[in-house]
Amino acid sequence: MNELYPIGDVARRTGLSVSAIRFYADEGVVAPTALSEGGFRQYDVHAIARLELVRTLRDLGAGLEEIRGVLAAETTLHDLAVTHLRLVEDQLRQFRARRAVLRTIVRQHTTAEQVSLMHKLVSMSDDERERLITEFWDFVTDGLDVHPGYVERLYQQRPHLPEDPSTEQLEAWIELAELVRDEEFRTAVRGYYHRVFGTEQGKLMATPEMLDRAGQHLALYREAQAVRESGAPADSARAREIAERMAASSADFLAAMTGEHDLDKARRSMIGFDRNRAAALRARMTGMDPVVRYSTLVATINGTAKPDPDRTAAVQEWLAAALREGNSQ
């Protein structure tokens, strides 16, 4: 025969209060196993185990009806867990969104109207976010006289907020969504593209041929980066070979743009790389160029690699050293 325990012992074993155990008995969730001669409730180990399960499920947010269903085997624990996991994940997304808004408020002098806007922005549906970005690029590219394929590439530069975004991604989305709605920012980006691609040389840059050349040059740079990071020294034959290919690629690219092919000029430009001068130029461009800010925010939201200036500078210095080494031989 199972040993019976008084309600005080059950409370100590389960961590529930005596009043909670009585409540679950009165609500028909876990009835006492028996009553003592004095009419006091008593529980065996099976009832105690059920009470422990009740406490766990309550801690996880389950309601009494859900618990009754599990105890009566009308609902499986798996199904209950699936339901509550979905609820918890929804709550986590809401908390992240609220935290992103609150952090933005703390960092900025935010008005009541801006708080309302930020909350609306983080609560947007995927379709609403898509429309917002599409409207932005509609404005930016209106009247832009370049190859249609380039315009399509611009439209593809859009954020895709993941289903479970981090606080950093939400904060980046808040900033980006505010920027693309801001008339000054929209006009600045529009002005940038119309200014850069408003010349014959700019139109040429946006052609599929030149975009393909740019892609090939980028692939060659990434190859150089991988070779350097594999440990190849700048005075190695492998480093000199890829540095010469980089110089040739640069010369070919400029020749396609200007009609003038000058390999020596391309080599001198690479050899003369100055990290400090490049950093100063990059700082000025980042502060002035709204396109850079847009791209950086999109990269944060999409979880893609953002430009690493120090890494880029290290590769350029390695290539310069390799070319100098080649000149000395």
Side-chain angles (χ1 to χ4, degrees), residues 205 209-219 253:
M205 276 289 295
E209 178 190 358
M210 291 307 299
L211 292 173
D212 185 57
R213 283 182 178 273
Q216 292 174 16
H217 190 75
L218 178 60
F253 189 87

Side-chain angles (χ1 to χ4, degrees), residues 57-77:
L57 293 177
R58 290 292 279 175
D59 287 344
L60 292 173
L64 286 181
E65 289 304 317
E66 292 173 317
I67 293 171
R68 285 195 185 94
V70 171
L71 294 177
E74 296 168 357
T75 304
T76 67
L77 277 173

Side-chain angles (χ1 to χ4, degrees), residues 7 17-27 30 40-41 43:
I7 196 169
S17 66
V18 169
S19 60
I21 296 171
R22 288 173 179 157
F23 170 77
Y24 292 133
D26 294 341
E27 291 295 319
V30 178
F40 296 105
R41 293 165 175 158
Y43 295 82

